[in-house]
Amino acid sequence: MAKLTATPLSALVDEPVHIRVTGLTPFQVVCLQASLKDEKGNLFASQAYYKANEVGEVDLERDPSLGGDYRGVHPMGLLWSLKPEKLLSRLAKRDVMNSPYQVHIELRSPYFPVKGIAISPLMDSLTLERWYVAPGVTRILVKEGRLRGALFLPPGEGPFPGVIDLFGSTGGLLEFRASLLASHGFAAFALAYWGYDDLPSHLEKIDLEYFEEGIEFLLKHPKVLGPGVGVVSVCKGAEIGLSMAVNLKRIKATVLINGPNFVSSDPHVYHGQVNRPVPCNIEFVTTNALGLAEFYRTFEETADKDSKYCFPIEKAEGHFLFVVGEDDKNLNSKVHAHQATAQLIKSGKKNWTLLSYPGAGHLIEPPYSPLCSASRIPFVIPSISWGGEVTSHAAAQEHSWKEIQKFLKNHLIPDTSSQL
């Protein structure tokens, strides 16, 4: 009798699971299917075909998928290849504290997905719990002065290295990365800056004093290790993260995931000084075969060619980790990162690391997250292509997440580098 097992059944979303099947006939071909529903009820699903070995066993850590949503040996392929039934949906957990994603895994005989052909009977099934927060992590809703966000603290007295977490043009308050960072020992402050609570409903300017207040708030907390903080940022958030590193004090480590090295839109303001947006070439926006907008060429004639438009990154005192998806269709992230590192090299700086991933798209997220290759965002009329090839993107997420944590610990915890 066929038996499906997974170890562990309950884990953080960035932790691997060992999936096995036993009790099959020798060399039997089976179909493994995964599915989950997000908080809005949107269905995400995947499947892969496997052939048992001579003793009737399938082990996803050893055996290749023969077809389906991915091919080859990929122990976590069923999770990172999940695709939305409703196109243009992004899997982004909102309530990170109170409920996990329930991922249902089913074992069946293969069948053709054609009308009139019955789905083969269920052979076995199980449910995985995928959590965004570890036991003991606490969440503090922040509404102090102008600041709006959520602070996540690991269990224990600390002090813990402090990190400010910034997302981009989706707006609102996204907490899933900060909650995971806290699960790995960081005091992580998910900082909203528009489209949330009483913050501006749309961006008109980037007030760097607001983010400076965020740094001061974080460092004042008794469980946060000083004297500086880290920043983890993506897209528009990475533009702000770089601007913070250049203009503000006490930023020791900045992670920039697929962001521009210039002001792309909305002026940056700091103590009366205004850094205005770079001119763009709207005529270079393209639409792909699926009708999705690709914006990565819009600065081809300005910032991509001339460093005079770029942030003076050489003035920053902290360290940088650039994370680049080379198939990013929203920003020319590879060019932007190479420009920034060239500026640092020219100034004799060695305070940077570049991770560049062929086949990875714009939205590089924690490991085993499904690729979101296209979605809608507020105030942009067409749907946006983010790029990415499923398998390559998954590999980039798994590798970069480990490197991000290592980088932050190296530069925020005294003497960590000597202990690695």
Side-chain angles (χ1 to χ4, degrees), residues 14 22 27 48 54 56 66-67 73 135 138 145 175 182 184 237 250 285 357 384 400 404 406 413 418:
D14 62 354
T22 56
F27 311 112
E54 66 277 3
L66 305 177
V73 180
T138 57
E175 305 177 18
H184 293 290
R250 294 183 289 180
V285 175
Y357 298 102
I384 296 177
S400 63
I404 287 169
K406 188 188 303 182
I413 303 175
S418 63

Side-chain angles (χ1 to χ4, degrees), residues 303-369:
D304 290 2
K305 280 189 173 181
D306 196 336
S307 62
K308 75 179 183 182
Y309 295 106
C310 302
F311 290 119
I313 190 173
E314 65 277 2
K315 294 183 179 180
E317 297 177 357
H319 290 76
F320 294 96
L321 175 62
F322 298 90
V323 180
V324 171
E326 295 185 12
D327 193 42
D328 186 347
K329 299 300 184 184
N330 185 56
L331 288 166
N332 201 344
S333 302
K334 185 177 180 180
V335 167
H336 303 158
H338 280 291
Q339 280 181 323
T341 55
Q343 288 173 256
L344 292 169
I345 292 170
K346 187 176 180 180
S347 300
K349 297 286 190 76
K350 298 181 180 179
N351 59 338
W352 58 275
T353 301
L354 171 62
L355 302 175
S356 194
Y357 298 102
H362 183 71
L363 296 176
I364 295 177
E365 300 190 323
Y368 319 127
S369 302

Side-chain angles (χ1 to χ4, degrees), residues 230 262 416:
F262 51 87
T416 298

Side-chain angles (χ1 to χ4, degrees), residues 8 10 22 39 46 73 99 140 143 154 159 161 228 272 297 300 329 352 387 403 410:
S10 181
T22 56
E39 289 145 311
S46 66
V73 180
S99 63
I140 302 169
K143 194 169 184 178
R297 294 183 56 219
E300 228 171 60
K329 299 300 184 184
W352 58 275
E403 294 301 310
N410 268 346

Side-chain angles (χ1 to χ4, degrees), residues 160-366:
F160 308 105
V163 175
I164 292 177
D165 189 34
L166 299 174
F167 281 85
S169 300
T170 54
L173 178 61
L174 293 176
E175 305 177 18
F176 63 82
R177 193 167 58 200
S179 63
L180 280 176
L181 286 168
S183 300
H184 293 290
F186 297 93
F189 183 18
L191 181 58
Y193 55 96
W194 77 281
Y196 172 74
D197 198 56
D198 57 355
L199 292 172
S201 59
H202 63 280
L203 280 176
E204 293 182 350
K205 65 178 181 179
I206 302 299
D207 181 1
L208 289 176
E209 292 177 53
Y210 175 81
F211 299 92
E212 190 171 47
E213 292 166 17
I215 296 171
E216 292 169 357
F217 166 81
L218 191 57
L219 285 172
K220 283 179 183 176
H221 197 284
K223 289 190 176 183
V224 174
L225 176 69
V229 302
V231 175
V232 178
S233 53
V234 63
C235 189
K236 182 72 175 181
E239 174 188 320
I240 297 169
L242 179 50
S243 188
M244 290 170 65
V246 169
N247 291 286
L248 309 182
K249 304 295 184 183
R250 294 183 289 180
I251 296 179
K252 300 298 183 184
T254 306
V255 179
L256 304 168
I257 305 170
N258 288 328
N261 59 325
F262 51 87
V263 179
S264 64
S265 62
D266 314 305
H268 291 213
V269 181
Y270 185 57
H271 292 310
Q273 294 185 341
V274 180
N275 193 352
R276 300 199 177 278
V278 170
C280 70
N281 298 96
I282 195 67
E283 67 271 24
F284 290 163
V285 175
T286 56
T287 304
N288 68 17
L290 297 176
L292 303 169
E294 299 180 350
F295 289 96
Y296 68 98
R297 294 183 56 219
T298 50
F299 296 97
E300 228 171 60
E301 294 295 323
T302 52
D304 290 2
K305 280 189 173 181
D306 196 336
S307 62
K308 75 179 183 182
Y309 295 106
C310 302
F311 290 119
I313 190 173
E314 65 277 2
K315 294 183 179 180
E317 297 177 357
H319 290 76
F320 294 96
L321 175 62
F322 298 90
V323 180
V324 171
E326 295 185 12
D327 193 42
D328 186 347
K329 299 300 184 184
N330 185 56
L331 288 166
N332 201 344
S333 302
K334 185 177 180 180
V335 167
H336 303 158
H338 280 291
Q339 280 181 323
T341 55
Q343 288 173 256
L344 292 169
I345 292 170
K346 187 176 180 180
S347 300
K349 297 286 190 76
K350 298 181 180 179
N351 59 338
W352 58 275
T353 301
L354 171 62
L355 302 175
S356 194
Y357 298 102
H362 183 71
L363 296 176
I364 295 177
E365 300 190 323

